């Protein structure tokens, strides 16, 4: 069941990203409401002349985020299921609207990794 929108900071949005490898998701050592940094690295840093891809998707970017939800590949919340194997994991992040648009646009243009202090 989706959470009420009133627990999202005003001006922020929720965006979901699918992680296929534990190295990108910091070994799955994650918790809801945890503050993390998302590190975007483009697959290529050189746009070609025919490219319709916006230039900002060719640059590295760091995004401050809060984990909103962690979901397994059967779309079950981590609170409701014990994981034995994690082949893929969906993580919903609370981010600014601008960063949410960037994450959506970048899904097939680069790699997103999670880290925290």
């Amino acid at each position: 069941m989706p959470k009420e929108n009133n627990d999202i900071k005003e001006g922020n949005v929720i965006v979901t990203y699918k992680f296929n490898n534990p190295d990108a998701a910091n070994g799955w050592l994650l918790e809801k409401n945890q503050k993390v940094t998302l590190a975007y690295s483009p697959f290529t840093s050189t746009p070609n002349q025919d490219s319709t891809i916006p230039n900002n998707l060719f640059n590295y970017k760091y995004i401050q985020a809060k984990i909103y939800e962690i979901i397994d590949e059967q779309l079950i919340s981590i609170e409701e299921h014990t994981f034995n194997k994690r082949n893929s994991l969906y993580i919903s992040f609370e981010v600014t609207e601008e960063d949410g648009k960037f994450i959506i646009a970048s899904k097939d243009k680069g790699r997103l990794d999670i880290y925290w202090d």
Side-chain angles (χ1 to χ4, degrees):
M1 176 175 223
K3 297 181 180 183
E4 295 293 324
N5 282 342
N6 60 6
D7 62 348
I8 300 169
K9 184 177 174 183
E10 186 173 338
N12 283 359
V13 297
I14 301 299
V15 63
T16 301
Y17 194 87
K18 181 180 180 183
F19 291 88
N20 293 315
N21 299 307
D23 67 321
N26 214 323
W28 309 126
L29 301 173
L30 305 167
E31 297 177 1
K32 289 182 186 180
N33 298 314
Q34 181 178 0
K35 293 183 180 180
V36 297
T37 300
L38 305 175
Y40 168 77
S41 52
F43 290 142
T44 180
S45 60
T46 312
N48 63 38
Q49 291 185 341
D50 299 332
S51 178
T52 59
I53 301 170
N55 283 338
N56 66 335
L57 295 177
F58 293 101
N59 300 317
Y60 289 83
K61 181 174 176 75
Y62 298 95
I63 299 169
Q64 299 305 307
K66 183 172 135 181
I67 296 176
Y68 185 77
E69 188 70 66
I70 302 172
I71 304 164
D72 74 2
E73 59 187 351
Q74 287 88 32
L75 303 179
I76 299 172
S77 173
I78 199 167
E79 291 178 338
E80 302 167 9
H81 185 66
T82 302
F83 299 106
N84 293 325
K85 295 181 181 176
R86 294 186 182 135
N87 296 328
S88 63
L89 198 68
Y90 298 91
I91 302 177
S92 296
F93 298 99
E94 179 180 346
V95 295
T96 66
E97 184 175 354
E98 179 182 334
D99 287 339
K101 289 177 182 178
F102 179 88
I103 291 168
I104 291 167
S106 70
K107 283 186 179 183
D108 62 346
K109 312 291 186 290
R111 174 181 164 125
L112 201 61
D113 290 275
I114 300 172
Y115 74 93
W116 69 90
D117 296 358

